[in-house]
mmCIF file of all heavy atoms in Angstrom:
data_model
loop_
_atom_site.group_PDB
_atom_site.id
_atom_site.type_symbol
_atom_site.label_atom_id
_atom_site.label_comp_id
_atom_site.label_asym_id
_atom_site.label_seq_id
_atom_site.Cartn_x
_atom_site.Cartn_y
_atom_site.Cartn_z
ATOM 1 N N GLY O 39 -9.280 4.642 30.884
ATOM 2 C CA GLY O 39 -7.876 4.413 31.217
ATOM 3 C C GLY O 39 -7.592 4.394 32.702
ATOM 4 O O GLY O 39 -8.318 3.797 33.498
ATOM 5 N N SER O 40 -6.518 5.133 33.064
ATOM 6 C CA SER O 40 -6.035 5.018 34.436
ATOM 7 C C SER O 40 -6.662 6.024 35.385
ATOM 8 O O SER O 40 -6.240 6.138 36.523
ATOM 9 C CB SER O 40 -4.513 5.161 34.445
ATOM 10 O OG SER O 40 -4.189 6.446 33.985
ATOM 11 N N GLY O 41 -7.646 6.797 34.922
ATOM 12 C CA GLY O 41 -8.349 7.642 35.890
ATOM 13 C C GLY O 41 -8.404 9.123 35.578
ATOM 14 O O GLY O 41 -9.043 9.879 36.315
ATOM 15 N N SER O 42 -7.772 9.581 34.493
ATOM 16 C CA SER O 42 -7.825 11.022 34.202
ATOM 17 C C SER O 42 -9.278 11.488 34.025
ATOM 18 O O SER O 42 -9.612 12.606 34.406
ATOM 19 C CB SER O 42 -7.001 11.375 32.966
ATOM 20 O OG SER O 42 -7.512 10.731 31.827
ATOM 21 N N ASN O 46 -10.866 14.866 35.869
ATOM 22 C CA ASN O 46 -11.337 16.069 35.161
ATOM 23 C C ASN O 46 -12.869 16.149 35.021
ATOM 24 O O ASN O 46 -13.379 17.059 34.377
ATOM 25 C CB ASN O 46 -10.642 16.219 33.795
ATOM 26 C CG ASN O 46 -10.880 15.016 32.885
ATOM 27 O OD1 ASN O 46 -11.864 14.307 33.029
ATOM 28 N ND2 ASN O 46 -9.973 14.796 31.949
ATOM 29 N N SER O 71 -1.877 2.892 28.474
ATOM 30 C CA SER O 71 -1.325 3.402 27.224
ATOM 31 C C SER O 71 -0.637 2.245 26.547
ATOM 32 O O SER O 71 0.024 1.437 27.225
ATOM 33 C CB SER O 71 -0.279 4.471 27.511
ATOM 34 O OG SER O 71 -0.915 5.684 27.752
ATOM 35 N N ASN O 72 -0.731 2.148 25.242
ATOM 36 C CA ASN O 72 -0.193 1.004 24.495
ATOM 37 C C ASN O 72 -0.833 -0.273 25.058
ATOM 38 O O ASN O 72 -0.165 -1.100 25.690
ATOM 39 C CB ASN O 72 1.339 0.912 24.611
ATOM 40 C CG ASN O 72 2.020 2.230 24.292
ATOM 41 O OD1 ASN O 72 1.593 2.943 23.395
ATOM 42 N ND2 ASN O 72 3.061 2.572 25.040
ATOM 43 N N PRO O 73 -2.129 -0.440 24.860
ATOM 44 C CA PRO O 73 -2.847 -1.563 25.500
ATOM 45 C C PRO O 73 -2.247 -2.925 25.162
ATOM 46 O O PRO O 73 -1.807 -3.163 24.031
ATOM 47 C CB PRO O 73 -4.267 -1.435 24.946
ATOM 48 C CG PRO O 73 -4.180 -0.493 23.799
ATOM 49 C CD PRO O 73 -2.990 0.365 24.000
ATOM 50 N N GLY O 98 -8.181 8.319 25.129
ATOM 51 C CA GLY O 98 -7.373 8.575 23.931
ATOM 52 C C GLY O 98 -7.361 7.361 23.022
ATOM 53 O O GLY O 98 -8.201 6.449 23.145
ATOM 54 N N GLY O 99 -6.388 7.328 22.142
ATOM 55 C CA GLY O 99 -6.296 6.252 21.160
ATOM 56 C C GLY O 99 -6.191 4.886 21.803
ATOM 57 O O GLY O 99 -6.748 3.907 21.283
ATOM 58 N N SER O 100 -5.500 4.802 22.939
ATOM 59 C CA SER O 100 -5.300 3.490 23.564
ATOM 60 C C SER O 100 -6.635 2.864 23.954
ATOM 61 O O SER O 100 -6.864 1.681 23.713
ATOM 62 C CB SER O 100 -4.410 3.616 24.807
ATOM 63 O OG SER O 100 -3.112 3.984 24.409
ATOM 64 N N ASP O 103 -8.655 2.034 20.682
ATOM 65 C CA ASP O 103 -8.052 0.871 19.990
ATOM 66 C C ASP O 103 -8.404 -0.428 20.712
ATOM 67 O O ASP O 103 -8.762 -1.435 20.104
ATOM 68 C CB ASP O 103 -6.522 0.977 20.000
ATOM 69 C CG ASP O 103 -5.990 1.908 18.927
ATOM 70 O OD1 ASP O 103 -6.775 2.692 18.374
ATOM 71 O OD2 ASP O 103 -4.776 1.839 18.656
ATOM 72 N N THR O 141 -10.700 12.051 24.437
ATOM 73 C CA THR O 141 -10.174 12.997 25.438
ATOM 74 C C THR O 141 -8.744 13.444 25.117
ATOM 75 O O THR O 141 -8.199 14.305 25.802
ATOM 76 C CB THR O 141 -10.168 12.363 26.847
ATOM 77 O OG1 THR O 141 -9.243 11.274 26.859
ATOM 78 C CG2 THR O 141 -11.553 11.884 27.250
ATOM 79 N N MET O 142 -8.119 12.818 24.137
ATOM 80 C CA MET O 142 -6.741 13.224 23.758
ATOM 81 C C MET O 142 -6.597 12.989 22.271
ATOM 82 O O MET O 142 -7.049 11.958 21.768
ATOM 83 C CB MET O 142 -5.770 12.386 24.593
ATOM 84 C CG MET O 142 -4.664 11.655 23.873
ATOM 85 S SD MET O 142 -3.068 12.042 24.601
ATOM 86 C CE MET O 142 -2.042 11.962 23.140
ATOM 87 N N THR O 145 -4.251 9.981 17.437
ATOM 88 C CA THR O 145 -4.233 8.710 16.699
ATOM 89 C C THR O 145 -5.224 8.620 15.539
ATOM 90 O O THR O 145 -4.999 7.855 14.612
ATOM 91 C CB THR O 145 -4.557 7.534 17.645
ATOM 92 O OG1 THR O 145 -5.913 7.657 18.073
ATOM 93 C CG2 THR O 145 -3.638 7.522 18.844
ATOM 94 N N SER O 147 -8.030 7.286 15.923
ATOM 95 C CA SER O 147 -8.787 6.071 16.221
ATOM 96 C C SER O 147 -10.294 6.344 16.328
ATOM 97 O O SER O 147 -11.112 5.444 16.138
ATOM 98 C CB SER O 147 -8.270 5.454 17.532
ATOM 99 O OG SER O 147 -8.802 4.180 17.732
ATOM 100 N N ASN O 150 -11.598 5.712 12.660
ATOM 101 C CA ASN O 150 -11.008 4.715 11.763
ATOM 102 C C ASN O 150 -11.147 3.312 12.361
ATOM 103 O O ASN O 150 -11.697 3.137 13.456
ATOM 104 C CB ASN O 150 -9.545 5.070 11.416
ATOM 105 C CG ASN O 150 -8.570 4.899 12.574
ATOM 106 O OD1 ASN O 150 -8.737 4.043 13.442
ATOM 107 N ND2 ASN O 150 -7.530 5.722 12.586
ATOM 108 N N GLY O 152 -8.543 1.329 13.013
ATOM 109 C CA GLY O 152 -7.242 0.908 13.551
ATOM 110 C C GLY O 152 -7.314 0.466 15.007
ATOM 111 O O GLY O 152 -8.051 1.035 15.809
ATOM 112 N N SER O 153 -6.526 -0.546 15.308
ATOM 113 C CA SER O 153 -6.398 -1.023 16.691
ATOM 114 C C SER O 153 -4.965 -1.524 16.835
ATOM 115 O O SER O 153 -4.550 -2.420 16.101
ATOM 116 C CB SER O 153 -7.397 -2.155 16.937
ATOM 117 O OG SER O 153 -7.160 -2.759 18.188
ATOM 118 N N VAL O 154 -4.212 -0.903 17.749
ATOM 119 C CA VAL O 154 -2.807 -1.286 17.915
ATOM 120 C C VAL O 154 -2.652 -1.938 19.286
ATOM 121 O O VAL O 154 -3.009 -1.345 20.302
ATOM 122 C CB VAL O 154 -1.870 -0.054 17.803
ATOM 123 C CG1 VAL O 154 -0.409 -0.479 17.881
ATOM 124 C CG2 VAL O 154 -2.128 0.697 16.494
ATOM 125 N N LYS O 163 4.567 -4.896 18.711
ATOM 126 C CA LYS O 163 3.430 -3.970 18.795
ATOM 127 C C LYS O 163 2.876 -3.891 17.378
ATOM 128 O O LYS O 163 3.569 -3.430 16.468
ATOM 129 C CB LYS O 163 3.914 -2.600 19.283
ATOM 130 C CG LYS O 163 2.822 -1.569 19.388
ATOM 131 C CD LYS O 163 3.315 -0.255 19.993
ATOM 132 C CE LYS O 163 2.141 0.702 20.130
ATOM 133 N NZ LYS O 163 2.512 1.999 20.668
ATOM 134 N N TYR O 183 -12.299 18.850 26.376
ATOM 135 C CA TYR O 183 -11.868 17.650 27.106
ATOM 136 C C TYR O 183 -10.365 17.432 26.986
ATOM 137 O O TYR O 183 -9.777 16.693 27.768
ATOM 138 C CB TYR O 183 -12.601 16.404 26.590
ATOM 139 C CG TYR O 183 -14.064 16.349 26.958
ATOM 140 C CD1 TYR O 183 -14.891 15.359 26.448
ATOM 141 C CD2 TYR O 183 -14.637 17.299 27.809
ATOM 142 C CE1 TYR O 183 -16.243 15.306 26.776
ATOM 143 C CE2 TYR O 183 -15.982 17.261 28.129
ATOM 144 C CZ TYR O 183 -16.780 16.268 27.616
ATOM 145 O OH TYR O 183 -18.112 16.223 27.927
ATOM 146 N N THR O 186 -6.905 19.125 29.689
ATOM 147 C CA THR O 186 -6.154 18.596 30.836
ATOM 148 C C THR O 186 -5.064 17.579 30.442
ATOM 149 O O THR O 186 -4.385 17.035 31.310
ATOM 150 C CB THR O 186 -7.118 17.906 31.839
ATOM 151 O OG1 THR O 186 -7.895 16.927 31.121
ATOM 152 C CG2 THR O 186 -8.058 18.901 32.497
ATOM 153 N N VAL O 187 -4.908 17.326 29.167
ATOM 154 C CA VAL O 187 -3.855 16.381 28.730
ATOM 155 C C VAL O 187 -2.489 16.979 29.089
ATOM 156 O O VAL O 187 -2.223 18.143 28.787
ATOM 157 C CB VAL O 187 -3.945 16.147 27.197
ATOM 158 C CG1 VAL O 187 -2.766 15.312 26.699
ATOM 159 C CG2 VAL O 187 -5.263 15.476 26.825
ATOM 160 N N PRO O 188 -1.602 16.210 29.770
ATOM 161 C CA PRO O 188 -0.285 16.755 30.103
ATOM 162 C C PRO O 188 0.485 17.181 28.837
ATOM 163 O O PRO O 188 0.310 16.571 27.784
ATOM 164 C CB PRO O 188 0.425 15.570 30.780
ATOM 165 C CG PRO O 188 -0.660 14.625 31.182
ATOM 166 C CD PRO O 188 -1.798 14.835 30.234
ATOM 167 N N GLN O 191 2.185 14.563 26.627
ATOM 168 C CA GLN O 191 1.251 13.762 25.823
ATOM 169 C C GLN O 191 0.640 14.610 24.715
ATOM 170 O O GLN O 191 0.425 14.137 23.593
ATOM 171 C CB GLN O 191 0.122 13.206 26.708
ATOM 172 C CG GLN O 191 0.557 12.230 27.775
ATOM 173 C CD GLN O 191 1.074 10.924 27.180
ATOM 174 O OE1 GLN O 191 0.832 10.609 26.021
ATOM 175 N NE2 GLN O 191 1.814 10.169 27.974
ATOM 176 N N ASP O 198 2.114 12.840 16.284
ATOM 177 C CA ASP O 198 1.443 11.670 15.714
ATOM 178 C C ASP O 198 0.603 12.103 14.506
ATOM 179 O O ASP O 198 0.639 11.479 13.436
ATOM 180 C CB ASP O 198 0.566 11.010 16.799
ATOM 181 C CG ASP O 198 0.127 9.608 16.429
ATOM 182 O OD1 ASP O 198 0.745 9.005 15.531
ATOM 183 O OD2 ASP O 198 -0.844 9.109 17.053
ATOM 184 N N HIS O 202 1.148 10.999 10.627
ATOM 185 C CA HIS O 202 0.105 10.348 9.816
ATOM 186 C C HIS O 202 -0.043 11.057 8.471
ATOM 187 O O HIS O 202 -0.166 10.414 7.430
ATOM 188 C CB HIS O 202 -1.237 10.357 10.552
ATOM 189 C CG HIS O 202 -1.242 9.538 11.798
ATOM 190 N ND1 HIS O 202 -2.134 9.716 12.821
ATOM 191 C CD2 HIS O 202 -0.431 8.512 12.192
ATOM 192 C CE1 HIS O 202 -1.884 8.845 13.784
ATOM 193 N NE2 HIS O 202 -0.853 8.113 13.432
ATOM 194 N N LEU O 255 -6.335 10.771 9.729
ATOM 195 C CA LEU O 255 -6.269 9.306 9.643
ATOM 196 C C LEU O 255 -7.668 8.680 9.681
ATOM 197 O O LEU O 255 -7.915 7.733 10.408
ATOM 198 C CB LEU O 255 -5.376 8.747 10.763
ATOM 199 C CG LEU O 255 -4.852 7.322 10.525
ATOM 200 C CD1 LEU O 255 -4.049 7.219 9.245
ATOM 201 C CD2 LEU O 255 -3.995 6.852 11.695
ATOM 202 N N HIS O 270 6.252 4.739 11.271
ATOM 203 C CA HIS O 270 5.382 4.068 12.252
ATOM 204 C C HIS O 270 5.859 2.651 12.559
ATOM 205 O O HIS O 270 5.763 2.197 13.701
ATOM 206 C CB HIS O 270 3.922 4.053 11.763
ATOM 207 C CG HIS O 270 3.118 5.184 12.305
ATOM 208 N ND1 HIS O 270 3.321 6.485 11.932
ATOM 209 C CD2 HIS O 270 2.127 5.223 13.237
ATOM 210 C CE1 HIS O 270 2.487 7.270 12.596
ATOM 211 N NE2 HIS O 270 1.748 6.530 13.400
ATOM 212 N N GLN O 274 6.745 1.765 16.260
ATOM 213 C CA GLN O 274 6.042 0.701 16.985
ATOM 214 C C GLN O 274 7.021 -0.325 17.545
ATOM 215 O O GLN O 274 6.824 -0.856 18.638
ATOM 216 C CB GLN O 274 5.003 0.029 16.077
ATOM 217 C CG GLN O 274 3.748 0.891 15.942
ATOM 218 C CD GLN O 274 2.697 0.358 14.987
ATOM 219 O OE1 GLN O 274 1.864 1.134 14.527
ATOM 220 N NE2 GLN O 274 2.711 -0.911 14.679
ATOM 221 N N HIS O 284 3.713 6.765 22.104
ATOM 222 C CA HIS O 284 3.704 6.537 20.652
ATOM 223 C C HIS O 284 4.272 7.714 19.846
ATOM 224 O O HIS O 284 5.184 7.547 19.032
ATOM 225 C CB HIS O 284 2.272 6.202 20.220
ATOM 226 C CG HIS O 284 2.086 6.148 18.746
ATOM 227 N ND1 HIS O 284 2.699 5.199 17.958
ATOM 228 C CD2 HIS O 284 1.362 6.945 17.887
ATOM 229 C CE1 HIS O 284 2.363 5.394 16.685
ATOM 230 N NE2 HIS O 284 1.558 6.443 16.620
HETATM 231 O O1 NZQ T 1 -5.050 6.463 31.159
HETATM 232 P P1 NZQ T 1 -5.741 7.777 31.061
HETATM 233 O O2 NZQ T 1 -6.302 8.227 32.329
HETATM 234 O O3 NZQ T 1 -6.762 7.788 29.940
HETATM 235 O O4 NZQ T 1 -4.591 8.856 30.721
HETATM 236 C C1 NZQ T 1 -4.085 9.039 29.411
HETATM 237 C C2 NZQ T 1 -2.718 8.427 29.177
HETATM 238 O O5 NZQ T 1 -1.960 8.449 30.344
HETATM 239 C C3 NZQ T 1 -3.781 10.504 29.243
HETATM 240 N N1 NZQ T 1 -4.952 11.284 28.892
HETATM 241 C C4 NZQ T 1 -5.809 11.083 27.859
HETATM 242 N N2 NZQ T 1 -6.746 12.055 27.854
HETATM 243 C C5 NZQ T 1 -6.491 12.852 28.917
HETATM 244 C C6 NZQ T 1 -5.353 12.365 29.585
HETATM 245 N N3 NZQ T 1 -4.845 12.945 30.699
HETATM 246 C C7 NZQ T 1 -5.477 14.046 31.152
HETATM 247 N N4 NZQ T 1 -6.569 14.596 30.528
HETATM 248 C C8 NZQ T 1 -7.095 14.024 29.422
HETATM 249 N N5 NZQ T 1 -8.141 14.606 28.810
HETATM 250 O O6 NZQ T 1 -2.839 10.564 28.178
HETATM 251 C C9 NZQ T 1 -2.059 9.383 28.210
HETATM 252 C C10 NZQ T 1 -1.942 8.841 26.807
HETATM 253 O O7 NZQ T 1 -3.167 8.351 26.339
HETATM 254 P P2 NZQ T 1 -3.210 7.304 25.136
HETATM 255 O O8 NZQ T 1 -4.622 6.977 24.853
HETATM 256 O O9 NZQ T 1 -2.268 6.192 25.411
HETATM 257 O O10 NZQ T 1 -2.555 8.155 23.943
HETATM 258 P P3 NZQ T 1 -2.814 8.157 22.411
HETATM 259 O O11 NZQ T 1 -4.109 8.780 22.096
HETATM 260 O O12 NZQ T 1 -1.607 8.742 21.805
HETATM 261 O O13 NZQ T 1 -2.898 6.601 22.003
HETATM 262 C C11 NZQ T 1 -1.734 5.843 21.788
HETATM 263 C C12 NZQ T 1 -2.061 4.475 21.242
HETATM 264 O O14 NZQ T 1 -2.716 4.567 19.949
HETATM 265 C C13 NZQ T 1 -2.028 3.782 18.988
HETATM 266 C C14 NZQ T 1 -0.599 3.866 19.483
HETATM 267 O O15 NZQ T 1 0.239 2.901 18.912
HETATM 268 C C15 NZQ T 1 -0.762 3.698 20.972
HETATM 269 O O16 NZQ T 1 -0.889 2.341 21.321
HETATM 270 N N6 NZQ T 1 -2.304 4.257 17.625
HETATM 271 C C16 NZQ T 1 -3.509 3.997 17.080
HETATM 272 C C17 NZQ T 1 -3.806 4.312 15.771
HETATM 273 C C18 NZQ T 1 -5.105 4.030 15.155
HETATM 274 N N7 NZQ T 1 -6.074 3.505 15.870
HETATM 275 O O17 NZQ T 1 -5.298 4.262 13.964
HETATM 276 C C19 NZQ T 1 -2.817 4.914 14.886
HETATM 277 C C20 NZQ T 1 -1.691 5.532 15.605
HETATM 278 O O18 NZQ T 1 -0.619 5.625 14.697
HETATM 279 C C21 NZQ T 1 -1.241 4.829 16.820
HETATM 280 O O19 NZQ T 1 -0.370 3.788 16.444
#
Side-chain angles (χ1 to χ4, degrees):
S40 63
S42 62
N46 59 25
S71 278
N72 310 322
S100 293
D103 280 16
T141 65
M142 129 127 213
T145 67
S147 190
N150 71 31
S153 171
V154 184
K163 179 175 183 181
Y183 289 173
T186 54
V187 173
Q191 296 293 343
D198 195 18
H202 295 158
L255 199 58
H270 265 69
Q274 282 176 201
H284 171 65

